[in-house]
Amino acid sequence: MIPEQLTQGQYDTVYNLLSLVIAAQLFTALFLVAAQPRVLPRYRQALLVSAVVCGIAAYHYFRIFDSFRDAFVTDAVGGRGTYTQAPGASFNEGYRYVDWLLTVPLLLVELVVVLALARKLQASLLWRLIPASALMIALGYPGEVASSDAVRHVFGLLSTIPFLYILYVLFVELTKSLDRQPPAVRDTISKLRILLFASWGVYPIAYLVPLLGFDGADAWVGKQAGYSIADILAKCLYGLLIYRIARLKSFADDPAFAEAEEGTAEGHAS
Ligand code: RET
């Protein structure tokens, strides 16, 4: 439930976090586009998809930011006051869900592309993962906007079923793929696996915060903070790790590419 009132501290916390997420998404997207020539052509699509994910998120965070500013107002002078819900406007929790509906499948595509698995395996993985991710998000939304705790519990639990299925498929496949990767890349893929589980795990925890008995406004702020930080980890940091994997794989696949890069580095040094 959206709180009736926010203290100045609560308002500032959400405001500043939303601003941080916009900056992180926007500039990670720019970096990933600019970094294209630094990897072999076969890995460029993964970087591009990652940049698109961050770009879509930046767009949604602009909308979330505006919605937040419209939804809460104060008449205190000098910005030290209490914020109340504005008449005629309300904070739209739906932007996050439409964002995830687009970005979660793309994050999965990114992963499958960068691992450069066999075509058939790629297709079979995506056929299982993408419908499951859409189901997870579609089932989470009614719980997110429900005014009753019971409904939040029920949809939260239903959404957890496809969530656990996705984690299971990814865990099994990522573990299998590790043996087939060049040694230099294995370590980074293990890190990616940890990041994926740690960051995706934050979303259901943030969803649960309002059910854990915190005061209404604190719980809501905690939830916004959880989703915002998780979005930085699951999109930006994840994109940067994908870039690292793509670069290490480029070196491993083509020694000439590595040498050409060294040449450039020397060129710059002299
Ligand atoms: C919900 C509802 C409660 C139960 C579960 C959820 C999981 C959400 C997840 C979202 C991941 C989003 C990502 C976005 C990045 O772009 C819907 C909160 C399990 C896992 C990775």
Side-chain angles (χ1 to χ4, degrees):
M1 277 268 276
I2 298 157
E4 292 292 319
Q5 277 195 351
L6 293 175
T7 64
Q8 184 73 45
Q10 288 167 334
Y11 181 88
D12 289 347
T13 305
V14 175
Y15 187 101
N16 293 337
L17 275 170
L18 295 177
S19 177
L20 173 74
V21 182
I22 292 177
Q25 305 290 353
L26 208 53
F27 290 95
T28 306
L30 278 183
F31 172 81
L32 290 168
V33 170
Q36 291 266 312
R38 296 172 65 84
V39 302
L40 283 179
R42 75 180 66 127
Y43 298 113
R44 288 185 189 157
Q45 196 192 347
L47 296 202
L48 199 58
V49 174
S50 186
V52 167
V53 165
C54 294
I56 293 173
Y59 162 75
H60 281 120
Y61 270 88
F62 278 120
R63 307 299 306 252
I64 295 174
F65 194 70
D66 279 350
S67 173
F68 177 70
R69 282 205 319 186
D70 291 343
F72 293 96
V73 287
T74 183
D75 50 16
V77 178
R80 292 288 125 203
T82 300
Y83 288 75
T84 51
Q85 282 203 30
S90 77
F91 182 71
N92 181 1
E93 302 270 16
Y95 285 131
R96 292 192 185 281
Y97 282 76
V98 283
D99 179 63
W100 299 342
L101 209 50
L102 284 171
T103 55
V104 174
L106 289 172
L107 287 173
L108 295 167
V109 169
E110 212 177 291
L111 179 67
V112 168
V113 172
V114 85
L115 294 179
L117 304 171
R119 284 253 166 248
K120 256 186 139 170
L121 180 60
Q122 288 194 0
S124 103
L125 273 176
L126 291 176
W127 270 106
R128 280 178 284 159
L129 291 171
I130 292 176
S133 67
L135 198 62
M136 169 181 85
I137 293 152
L139 287 170
Y141 181 69
E144 186 69 87
V145 294
S147 46
S148 108
D149 278 3
V151 178
R152 196 173 179 87
H153 273 294
V154 170
F155 281 98
L157 275 176
L158 287 176
S159 163
T160 305
I161 301 168
F163 176 62
L164 293 178
Y165 174 73
I166 296 171
L167 293 189
Y168 165 77
V169 173
L170 283 182
F171 192 84
V172 172
E173 287 307 324
L174 281 181
T175 309
K176 270 196 221 152
S177 134
L178 273 182
D179 304 335
R180 294 183 225 117
Q181 303 293 338
V185 181
R186 270 183 221 157
D187 189 41
T188 314
I189 295 188
S190 308
K191 284 199 190 113
L192 186 77
R193 188 167 59 175
I194 297 170
L195 176 70
L196 201 136
F197 289 119
S199 61
W200 286 39
V202 178
Y203 294 92
I205 295 172
Y207 177 94
L208 269 180
V209 172
L211 298 171
L212 298 180
F214 291 99
D215 164 59
D218 275 343
W220 188 79
V221 171
K223 186 184 78 178
Q224 297 305 328
Y227 287 154
S228 301
I229 293 166
D231 273 342
I232 295 183
L233 300 175
K235 296 178 170 105
C236 303
L237 195 57
Y238 182 86
L240 296 177
L241 272 183
I242 293 272
Y243 162 67
R244 186 152 181 76
I245 292 173
R247 206 158 145 78
L248 290 172
K249 285 187 121 185
S250 301
F251 292 153
D253 291 359
D254 181 1
F257 182 74
E259 273 163 34
E261 284 260 327
E262 263 170 39
T264 332
E266 276 162 24
H268 282 308
S270 58

